[in-house]
Amino acid sequence: MNCRQHLRYAFVALLLPMAAMAQIPGLSKPEPAPAEQKSEEPATIPIANIPLKAEEDERFIQEAMLRAQSSNKADAMARQLKDIQKSVSTLSQKSQSGKLEGVQISRLESLDRHWSFLDRELTQWQSRLQSVAKPLSEDAAELASRKQVWINTRTAAAATLAPPLLRSMDELLLEFEKADQTISQPLTKLLDLGRDASIIQARVSRNLAAVRKQISSVDHDLAVLDSDNLYIALTAAKSEEAGDLESLKKGLSIEEDFRAEFDRANERPERVFWIFALLLLPLFLWLAYSARKLLKGDSRLEQYRKTLTRPFSAWLLLAVMGLLILQMSGPMIRIQLLMLLAWLPVMRLQPQHVHDGIGRWMYLTAVFYVINLLAFLLSQNPLLFRLTVLFNGLLMLGTLAWLLYRSRTALNARSNRQLLVLRIIIGVSTLAMLVAVVSNIFGNVTLAAMLTDATLDTAYMGLFLFAVGNVVRAFSRFLFRGTAEKLKSRTQHAGGLLEVMSGLFNFVLVALWLYGALTVFRIFRPLMALVNSISSFAIEFGNISITIGSIVLFGVSVYLSFWLAKTIRGVLSEDILPNMELPRGVANSISSLSYYALLVSGLMVALAAAGFHISQLALILGALSVGIGLGLQDVVKNFVSGLILMVERPVQPGDIVEVSNTTGRVRDIGMRATTLTTFEGADVIVPNGMLLSEKMINWTLSSDNRRIEIAIGVSYEADPKHVLAVLTAVANKAEGVTHDPPPTVVFTGFGPNSLDFSVRAWTDNYDDAIFIRSALAVDMHAALTEAGIAIPYPQRDLHLRSVDPDILSQLQRSSP
C-alpha cells in the first residue's frame, strides 16, 4: 500500500467520527468568520486538502527526482571547465604573463586576442552553467518550501489527526528528504564548478588587464628608445641557433594552441560557411560563362571584363573575406595567412587604373608580407626580430622611393587627380619607412616595427578592399543590369537609390580601410579615448545632465531618420505603389503612414541613443496631457483628423476640392494640415479638422467627369426646333465632349428679350473642362450665325412721367 492510499484511508477514518459528532446537539461549533484571503502560501495545510495536496506534492517529488537524475550535464561542464583551465595555465606559462616588459607590440596584440578569447569562452561557460543549475536550484527551493509546509502541518495537527494519517505524512517527509539528497548532489557539484570558474575568471581578467596595460604603455612610449643602437646590439649579441630555434618554436606553439582552441569553439559556423561557399562556386562559374557571351555585344561591362572572366579568383577572394570576418577575433597568424592566401586573387582582380598607377611593383607585396610574417614568428628573439624588420624596411623603402620617382614622371607627362592622390600616399609611406629604418638603427625597435607593419598592412589592405569592391560591383552590375536600367529610366527615386547604395558600399569600404589604418598605426585607441572623453563631457541644467556624445548621436539619428523616411516615401509613392493595382488613395495613405512611422521610430532610436530611457516617456506624456488641456486641443484634433483622412481616403493628392469658399487642387496631405493650390497659384493651408467638420466638395472623388452647361438666348423670330437641332449638332461634334452620356439641349423658357436654351454636355477631363466649354461656346456662336439665327440685345421700354420744359424744347428743336 503506497503513501497515497494511506492518506485516503486515514482521511476517511478521520471524517467518519467527525461527521457523527456533528449530528449531536451542543457539540457542533459555530463556523469561524472567514479570514482575509492572503496571496501567500498558507503556513499549514487544511485538513480537507491533505489528500489532494499530498498527491500533488508526491507527483512533484517524483518529477524533481527524475529531472535531477536525468541532468547529467555536470560532468560535461566539468570537462569543459578543465579544458579552459588547462588553456589558461598553458598560456600563462608560455607567455610568461608576469614578464611583459620588452615584448613586441605584435606579440602583445596576439596575447590580447588570446586572453580575450579565453575570457569570452569562460563567460559563455558560466552562462551555460547558470542555465543548467537554474532548474535544479528552483526545484530545491520549491521542495524546501513544500517540505516546511508539511512540517508545520504535522506539528500543528499532531494531536487531532489519526495515526494512519500521521504515518502517511511521515512517509511523505521521508520522500522529501530523499528528493533533497538526489537534487543536492548535482547541484552541489555545479556550485563547486561555479566557484572554480570564478577563480579562473579572476586569473584571466588579471592577465588580460596586464596585457592591455602593457599595450597602452608601449603606445605611450613609442617615441622613447627601447634598445641599444644597432652596432652595439650586434657586437653584444651571442647568437645561439638552439636558442633562436627555441624562440621560434615557442611563438609557433602559442599560436597553434590559440588556433586549436578557436577552431574547436567555432567549428560549426566554419563548417556552415564552407558549405555555403562551396555552393557558391558553381554559381560564379556559371556567371562567368554567361558573361563571356554578353561581353561580346555589351560595351557597358567592358571595364569589368577581367573580373567577370576570372570566377575562381573572385570566389576565392570573397571566401577569404568571409573567413576574415569569422576569424576577426582569432589568431593573428591565421589572419595573416588568410591575407597571404588572398594575395594572388587580389593581384589578378585589381582595377586597371591601379595597374596603371603602380604597375608590377605591387607584386612585391607578397615578399614583404612573408618577411613580415617571419618577423612576427621571431618576435621572441629580439635581435633576429630587429634584423628581420630592418631588412624588410629597407626593401620597402627602396621600392617606395622608386614608385615615388615613377609617379613624378607620370604626373609630369599627364596631369591626373588619381595619380596626384597616389603620389601623396606613396610619399607619406616613403617618409614612414624612412623613419622606421632610422628608428631601428638608433634603437627604437618598437616604433620601427610598428611603422613597417602598419605601412605594409595599410597598403595591402587597400589593394584587398579595392579588389573586393571591384568583384562586388562587377557581378552585381552583371546580375542586375536589366533591372538597374529600367529603374533609372522609368522611376524617379529608385534609380537614385541605387546610386545611394553604391555610395554607401564605397563608404563602408573606405571606413573599413580607415579603421584598419588607424588601428595598425596605433592611433585608433588613443583617438577613441579622446572621443570618449569629449563625448562624456556633461552639460548640466539643474538636475538635467546632457553629454556632448548624446547630443551628437541624437542629431545624427534624427538626420538619418528623416533621410530614410523621405527616401522610402518617395520610392513607395512614385515608383512602387503606382505600379500596383490598389484602391483609390491607398498608395498615398501607405506612403504617408510609412513616412510618419519611420519618423516616430527614428525619434525613439535617437532618444535611446542619446541615453533617454523609453520608460521615461511617462513624464513627457504627462506634460503633453497638460499642454493638450491648456491649448493643444486643435493640434490633437487636426492630428487625429489626418489619421482619419488617411484611413477613410475621402480626398487624395491631385483631387479638386472646394472647402470654405476656396477651390483648389490637393497638393499634399499631412498629419496636421492639407495643402491646396488654387487655380490662381496660391497655396492654402487647410487644417485637417476643417476638412472633416465642414462641408467639403470633392469634384474628382469618384471620377474626373464634369458637366458643362452653357445658357444661350435667341431671337423670338427663330424657330425653336431649328435652334435645338443646330445646338445639338454642335454639341455632338465638339472635341472633348463625351457621348456617354450624350450631350443634351433643352428649351428652358421665354425670356424678356429672347428664347432661352441650355446646352448640357459631359467631359471626362476635369482639368480641361473650362477650355472645352470655351471652344463649345465659340462653335455654338458660329453655328447660329451661319444658320441666320440672331442673338438679341437686351431691350427696355422707357416711360417718362415728367420732363423739364427746357429739355423738352431742346428735344423738339432737334427733332426733324
Side-chain angles (χ1 to χ4, degrees):
M1 187 178 294
N2 56 22
C3 177
R4 187 182 307 168
Q5 292 174 334
H6 279 302
L7 285 171
R8 288 175 179 172
Y9 291 141
F11 183 72
V12 172
L14 178 64
L15 288 182
L16 285 175
M18 293 178 63
M21 294 173 63
Q23 302 300 323
I24 302 175
L27 293 180
S28 59
K29 298 181 180 180
E31 294 182 359
E36 293 184 2
Q37 192 174 6
K38 296 182 179 179
S39 60
E40 299 179 356
E41 185 72 17
T44 59
I45 303 172
I47 296 176
N49 296 338
I50 287 178
L52 294 177
K53 184 64 175 174
E55 184 177 355
E56 177 187 348
D57 287 356
E58 185 179 1
R59 184 168 56 251
F60 177 77
I61 290 172
Q62 298 301 324
E63 292 174 354
M65 293 177 67
L66 288 175
R67 282 193 293 268
Q69 292 171 359
S70 62
S71 179
N72 53 0
K73 297 181 180 180
D75 295 335
M77 298 292 295
R79 289 192 297 270
Q80 294 173 3
L81 183 62
K82 186 176 180 181
D83 293 339
I84 296 175
Q85 185 178 13
K86 182 179 178 181
S87 300
V88 171
S89 301
T90 302
L91 181 60
S92 297
Q93 293 174 2
K94 291 183 178 180
S95 63
Q96 298 178 354
S97 55
K99 301 177 181 178
L100 296 176
E101 292 79 5
V103 178
Q104 298 299 327
I105 189 65
S106 57
R107 178 61 59 189
L108 289 174
E109 290 285 355
S110 180
L111 289 175
D112 183 22
R113 287 170 170 265
H114 202 161
W115 284 117
S116 298
F117 168 76
L118 292 176
D119 182 68
R120 289 194 301 273
E121 285 291 296
L122 195 55
T123 302
Q124 294 174 2
W125 183 91
Q126 289 174 330
S127 298
R128 292 194 297 270
L129 178 68
Q130 292 179 0
S131 63
V132 172
K134 184 178 180 180
L136 295 177
S137 61
E138 290 177 350
D139 285 346
E142 183 65 20
L143 283 172
S145 176
R146 297 190 181 203
K147 178 182 176 183
Q148 186 61 44
V149 172
W150 281 105
I151 291 174
N152 294 342
T153 303
R154 175 71 172 77
T155 304
T160 59
L161 293 179
L165 191 60
L166 293 176
R167 285 196 300 270
S168 299
M169 294 175 66
D170 292 337
E171 292 178 2
L172 184 61
L173 291 173
L174 290 176
E175 292 290 333
F176 273 109
E177 292 290 342
K178 184 178 179 181
D180 287 338
Q181 294 177 2
T182 304
I183 294 177
S184 62
Q185 293 177 359
L187 185 59
T188 302
K189 189 173 183 179
L190 291 174
L191 293 176
D192 292 338
L193 290 176
R195 286 191 292 269
D196 295 339
S198 298
I199 297 173
I200 301 173
Q201 180 74 57
R203 185 179 180 184
V204 171
S205 300
R206 184 170 60 253
N207 283 281
L208 182 59
V211 171
R212 290 181 175 176
K213 182 179 179 181
Q214 183 62 25
I215 291 175
S216 299
S217 177
V218 171
D219 290 343
H220 184 268
D221 298 334
L222 277 176
V224 179
L225 297 178
D226 53 8
S227 303
D228 296 327
N229 62 60
L230 186 60
Y231 176 77
I232 296 176
L234 289 174
T235 56
K238 297 180 180 179
S239 60
E240 298 180 0
E241 295 183 1
D244 299 341
L245 185 61
E246 186 66 25
S247 64
L248 180 60
K249 289 182 178 179
K250 181 183 290 187
L252 288 174
S253 176
I254 295 176
E255 293 298 320
E256 176 60 24
D257 291 342
F258 189 11
R259 182 204 62 78
E261 296 165 6
F262 192 86
D263 288 345
R264 186 168 56 251
N266 296 274
E267 181 179 3
R268 181 176 297 178
E270 289 184 2
R271 186 185 298 117
V272 173
F273 170 79
W274 276 115
I275 293 174
F276 178 73
L278 291 175
L279 291 176
L280 284 180
L281 181 57
L283 176 62
F284 274 86
L285 295 175
W286 176 78
L287 289 175
Y289 175 76
S290 302
R292 288 189 180 95
K293 296 181 178 180
L294 186 64
L295 286 171
K296 296 178 181 179
D298 193 346
S299 59
R300 292 171 297 179
L301 297 174
E302 184 62 31
Q303 58 177 329
Y304 300 112
R305 172 182 294 274
K306 183 168 59 176
T307 304
L308 292 173
T309 55
R310 294 175 177 177
F312 186 78
S313 295
W315 172 83
L316 182 59
L317 181 64
L318 295 183
V320 171
M321 183 71 178
L323 284 175
L324 286 174
I325 295 175
L326 289 177
Q327 303 277 342
M328 191 60 64
S329 59
M332 290 286 296
I333 191 171
R334 171 72 65 82
I335 294 177
Q336 293 179 351
L337 288 175
L338 286 175
M339 295 292 287
L340 192 59
L341 176 64
W343 179 84
L344 184 59
V346 166
M347 296 298 110
R348 287 171 57 85
L349 298 173
Q350 286 301 315
Q352 187 60 40
H353 63 271
V354 176
H355 280 280
D356 296 340
I358 301 178
R360 299 182 181 275
W361 289 95
M362 64 180 178
Y363 297 145
L364 287 176
T365 51
V367 178
F368 303 149
Y369 217 83
V370 170
I371 298 175
N372 196 58
L373 180 60
L374 180 62
F376 173 76
L377 296 175
L378 294 174
S379 59
Q380 297 287 344
N381 189 300
L383 183 59
L384 283 179
F385 173 78
R386 182 175 183 178
L387 292 175
T388 307
V389 170
L390 179 61
F391 177 70
N392 201 21
L394 290 172
L395 285 180
M396 292 175 61
L397 180 60
T399 304
L400 288 171
W402 170 251
L403 286 176
L404 187 63
Y405 172 76
R406 184 173 178 269
S407 64
R408 178 184 178 184
T409 304
L411 195 62
N412 291 333
R414 56 187 177 93
S415 179
N416 191 313
R417 182 179 178 182
Q418 292 181 349
L419 284 176
L420 180 60
V421 173
L422 180 62
R423 176 174 171 77
I424 294 174
I425 294 175
I426 294 175
V428 174
S429 302
T430 304
L431 180 61
M433 292 312 305
L434 181 62
V435 174
V437 170
V438 173
S439 300
N440 197 331
I441 294 173
F442 282 94
N444 195 340
V445 182
T446 302
L447 179 61
M450 185 273 292
L451 290 176
T452 304
D453 185 58
T455 303
L456 176 60
D457 286 346
T458 302
Y460 186 64
M461 198 185 325
L463 294 174
F464 182 86
L465 293 176
F466 257 120
V468 170
N470 199 34
V471 169
V472 173
R473 278 189 289 268
F475 282 93
S476 61
R477 291 196 179 186
F478 173 73
L479 282 173
F480 304 106
R481 61 190 183 279
T483 304
E485 294 299 327
K486 291 180 181 179
L487 288 175
K488 289 181 179 180
S489 60
R490 299 182 183 179
T491 62
Q492 300 182 21
H493 290 83
L497 191 59
L498 293 177
E499 300 297 331
V500 172
M501 293 175 63
S502 178
L504 287 177
F505 177 70
N506 295 333
F507 174 78
V508 170
L509 293 180
V510 173
L512 287 175
W513 179 84
L514 186 62
Y515 167 75
L518 293 176
T519 301
V520 295
F521 275 103
R522 318 303 304 167
I523 300 175
F524 184 76
R525 289 191 179 186
L527 181 62
M528 289 305 299
L530 178 62
V531 170
N532 289 333
S533 62
I534 295 176
S535 61
S536 60
F537 179 78
I539 303 174
E540 297 182 355
F541 301 95
N543 295 328
I544 301 176
S545 179
I546 303 175
T547 61
I548 295 179
S550 63
I551 296 175
V552 173
L553 284 176
F554 180 79
V556 172
S557 301
V558 170
Y559 172 78
L560 291 178
S561 300
F562 271 95
W563 177 83
L564 181 62
K566 182 179 178 181
T567 303
I568 296 298
R569 180 173 66 175
V571 172
L572 288 176
S573 62
E574 300 182 19
D575 297 337
I576 297 178
L577 296 177
N579 299 324
M580 301 173 65
E581 296 182 359
L582 298 173
R584 179 186 182 276
V586 171
N588 178 69
S589 299
I590 292 176
S591 59
S592 298
L593 290 176
S594 301
Y595 175 76
Y596 290 108
L598 287 173
L599 281 185
V600 173
S601 302
L603 180 60
M604 295 300 175
V605 173
L607 291 174
F612 185 86
H613 298 288
I614 304 301
S615 60
Q616 296 176 349
L617 284 177
L619 299 176
I620 296 180
L621 294 176
L624 285 177
S625 63
V626 176
I628 292 171
L630 294 178
L632 297 180
Q633 300 96 330
D634 291 339
V635 175
V636 176
K637 173 184 175 183
N638 292 325
F639 179 80
V640 175
S641 299
L643 293 177
I644 295 175
L645 289 174
M646 291 181 184
V647 174
E648 294 187 353
R649 305 185 305 278
V651 63
Q652 68 172 342
D655 286 352
I656 305 297
V657 299
E658 181 179 347
V659 58
S660 296
N661 297 324
T662 301
T663 303
R665 186 184 300 275
V666 177
R667 185 166 61 87
D668 179 63
I669 302 176
M671 293 301 291
R672 189 196 64 85
T674 297
T675 303
L676 302 181
T677 300
T678 65
F679 297 110
E680 291 79 14
D683 287 338
V684 180
I685 309 299
V686 181
N688 290 330
M690 184 180 295
L691 296 178
L692 294 180
S693 62
E694 296 187 5
K695 178 182 177 181
M696 179 185 66
I697 301 175
N698 191 338
W699 291 98
T700 57
L701 176 61
S702 57
S703 67
D704 287 338
N705 293 342
R706 174 73 181 272
R707 195 182 79 168
I708 301 171
E709 184 174 359
I710 303 177
I712 188 170
V714 299
S715 172
Y716 270 93
E717 298 176 357
D719 183 6
K721 293 182 179 179
H722 182 52
V723 174
L724 289 173
V726 171
L727 295 179
T728 302
V730 172
N732 285 327
K733 294 179 181 179
E735 184 177 355
V737 174
T738 63
H739 296 282
D740 185 19
T744 59
V745 181
V746 294
F747 181 32
T748 59
F750 300 93
N753 307 305
S754 62
L755 301 176
D756 294 334
F757 295 84
S758 177
V759 179
R760 299 170 184 177
W762 286 88
T763 178
D764 56 4
N765 190 344
Y766 181 89
D767 293 336
D768 294 337
I770 187 172
F771 304 107
I772 296 172
R773 185 182 188 280
S774 175
L776 179 60
V778 172
D779 293 342
M780 289 166 53
H781 181 271
L784 292 174
T785 302
E786 183 179 355
I789 301 174
I791 300 176
Y793 293 100
Q795 298 180 4
R796 296 288 185 270
D797 292 333
L798 183 62
H799 298 277
L800 301 177
R801 293 183 178 180
S802 62
V803 182
D804 185 86
D806 295 335
I807 297 177
L808 182 59
S809 62
Q810 292 178 5
L811 289 174
Q812 290 176 349
R813 285 196 300 268
S814 62
S815 61

